């Protein structure tokens, strides 16, 4: 592969996704950018930000070429109703999902090499009567993939999740041996396949305080987590744990670790986002396509203002291009 082609979905139309997409295009790239969204929305948001943005229709049959500054291809998807910056409208919920569906199908057909996603607003999609828990789960559905793994990354730290968008009271029941085994296998496999790490070392967190304190603060570590770690380690994986989550992220503990596996969303992500919010990226492992996303939400209050920070989308684009290049090499 010489020039990766990236599809960039523009997310919730009332949020900062269209802004970030226009801001991303200020600079030339060594890969091809294809924005997925309503062309008129993108042009109007670019004008509001004082940016020059020239859009050309996406032709999947044309060989990809690097994108020039101020230019991008566009895979057009029409809004259901005009969007106002900062004002959610459930009428556009299906538009948001159609962005993801169109882009994912194009990647599955081999028309693009990676998918980069701007933020969506889960609440307004649910308000439209559509069950939706997040990008990760929806993309798994679109790709007919049974087990995917959500992993966020900043330079020097990767954190994967055994469970994703679950209420906290449901997490212990979701930590089963079959699920943990599949998650660890996907994480190990994609660290090798996508990231080129020959023998990844994964640090596994416990679920309970102090990793259960020998069963006095919970027994999930003894009954579920440790047996899976030991079984997969015996099969050749390099796993450590379960370790107490409150010390898992100390520099000495992370020495030589390629990824940390947290048991639930807010066990691992506050540490990572605290260290690198605005520069972190979200990677969905286990899919047949490459998908990288921003680490933040729709920031409705910043939409159309010019004050949104494109750093996370820039980092997501850079990683997607790197992963696509590695996969195609």
């Amino acid at each position: 592969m010489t020039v990766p082609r990236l599809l960039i979905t523009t997310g919730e139309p009332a949020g900062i996704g269209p802004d970030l997409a226009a801001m991303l295009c200020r600079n030339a790239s060594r890969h091809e950018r294809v924005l997925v969204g309503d062309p008129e929305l993108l042009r109007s948001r670019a004008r509001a930000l004082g940016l020059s943005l020239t859009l050309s229709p996406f032709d999947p049959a044309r060989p990809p070429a690097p994108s020039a500054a101020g230019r991008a291809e566009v895979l057009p998807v029409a809004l259901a109703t005009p969007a106002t910056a900062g004002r959610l409208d459930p009428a556009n919920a299906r538009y948001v999902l159609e962005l993801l569906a169109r882009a994912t199908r194009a990647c599955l057909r081999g028309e693009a090499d990676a998918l980069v996603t701007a933020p969506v607003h889960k609440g307004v999609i649910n308000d439209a009567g559509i069950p939706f828990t997040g990008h990760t789960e929806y993309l798994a559905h679109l790709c007919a993939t049974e087990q995917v793994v959500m992993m966020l990354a900043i330079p020097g730290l990767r954190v994967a999740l055994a469970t994703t968008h679950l209420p906290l009271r449901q997490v212990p029941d979701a930590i089963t041996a079959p699920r943990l085994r599949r998650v660890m296998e996907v994480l190990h496999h994609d660290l090798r396949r996508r990231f080129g790490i020959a023998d990844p070392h994964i640090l596994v967190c416990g679920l309970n305080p102090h990793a259960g304190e020998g069963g006095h603060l919970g027994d999930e570590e003894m009954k579920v987590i440790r047996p899976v770690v030991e079984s997969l380690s015996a099969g050749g994986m390099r796993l450590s744990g379960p370790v107490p989550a409150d010390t898992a992220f100390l520099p000495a503990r992370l020495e030589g670790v390629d990824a940390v596996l947290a048991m639930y969303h807010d066990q691992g992500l506050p540490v990572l986002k605290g260290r690198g919010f605005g520069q972190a990226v979200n990677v969905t492992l286990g899919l047949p396509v490459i998908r990288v996303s921003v680490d933040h939400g729709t920031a409705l209050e910043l939409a159309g203002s010019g004050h949104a920070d494109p750093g996370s989308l820039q980092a997501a684009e850079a990683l997607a291009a790197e992963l696509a290049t590695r996969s195609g090499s």
Side-chain angles (χ1 to χ4, degrees):
M1 179 191 301
T2 54
V3 179
R5 172 178 283 157
L6 310 185
L7 294 182
I8 303 169
T9 62
T10 49
E12 166 55 49
I16 60 172
D19 304 45
L20 299 179
M23 295 166 79
L24 193 67
C25 295
R26 289 180 295 191
N27 298 317
S29 68
R30 295 180 180 179
H31 49 268
E32 182 176 272
R33 297 185 179 110
V34 181
L35 306 184
V36 185
D38 188 296
E40 289 309 310
L41 169 66
L42 293 168
R43 292 188 183 102
S44 65
R45 199 65 67 84
R47 286 194 298 270
L49 301 180
L51 300 175
S52 174
L53 179 62
T54 300
L55 299 175
S56 304
F58 172 49
D59 178 4
R62 182 185 54 76
S67 292
R71 304 185 66 90
E73 309 295 305
V74 62
L75 196 168
V77 180
L79 284 164
T81 189
T84 301
R87 188 178 303 168
L88 294 170
D89 190 335
N92 280 322
R94 294 197 180 277
Y95 160 83
V96 173
L97 298 184
E98 183 63 15
L99 300 180
L100 297 173
R102 293 278 297 277
T104 302
R105 287 196 293 264
C107 287
L108 289 172
R109 289 193 297 264
E111 296 172 355
D113 303 299
L115 171 62
V116 179
T117 57
V120 301
H121 194 286
K122 292 189 266 298
V124 76
I125 297 174
N126 289 318
D127 288 344
I130 304 169
F132 181 82
T133 55
H135 269 114
T136 302
E137 298 84 357
Y138 189 65
L139 292 171
H141 166 72
L142 291 174
C143 294
T145 303
E146 180 181 354
Q147 182 66 62
V148 295
V149 175
M150 179 177 173
M151 185 179 79
L152 271 76
I154 57 174
L157 180 62
R158 303 182 186 95
V159 178
L161 302 178
T163 63
T164 53
H165 301 111
L166 283 181
L168 195 55
R169 68 173 63 247
Q170 295 179 17
V171 169
D173 290 342
I175 304 294
T176 64
R179 181 186 194 133
L180 271 186
R181 175 177 286 272
R182 290 196 301 270
V183 166
M184 292 182 197
E185 288 172 342
V186 168
L187 176 57
H188 181 268
H189 179 267
D190 273 19
L191 286 173
R192 296 183 64 192
R193 178 180 64 146
R194 299 289 193 204
F195 289 83
I197 302 170
D199 184 23
H201 180 197
I202 300 168
L203 183 68
V204 180
C205 291
L207 172 66
N208 298 293
H210 302 178
E213 195 77 69
H216 296 288
L217 293 176
D219 60 6
E220 285 84 0
E221 288 78 11
M222 298 170 62
K223 290 185 175 180
V224 180
I225 303 174
R226 186 174 300 281
V228 173
V229 168
E230 291 176 348
S231 173
L232 291 176
S233 296
M237 287 191 196
R238 200 149 59 99
L239 306 171
S240 299
V243 301
D246 62 349
T247 57
F249 297 94
L250 295 177
R253 179 82 82 175
L254 291 175
E255 187 71 30
V257 168
D258 296 297
V260 177
L261 178 63
M263 291 297 108
Y264 56 93
H265 189 281
D266 284 9
Q267 184 183 61
L269 297 194
V271 178
L272 183 139
K273 291 190 177 186
R275 292 187 185 181
F277 188 72
Q279 300 299 320
V281 298
N282 179 359
V283 187
T284 305
L285 307 179
L287 293 173
V289 301
I290 295 168
R291 181 263 175 159
V292 188
S293 183
V294 296
D295 72 336
H296 56 72
T298 53
L300 297 170
E301 70 282 2
L302 297 179
S305 72
H307 297 305
D309 182 355
S312 182
L313 187 60
Q314 291 169 339
E317 179 189 45
L319 180 58
E322 176 187 333
L323 297 180
T325 300
R326 182 178 294 119
S327 294
S329 61

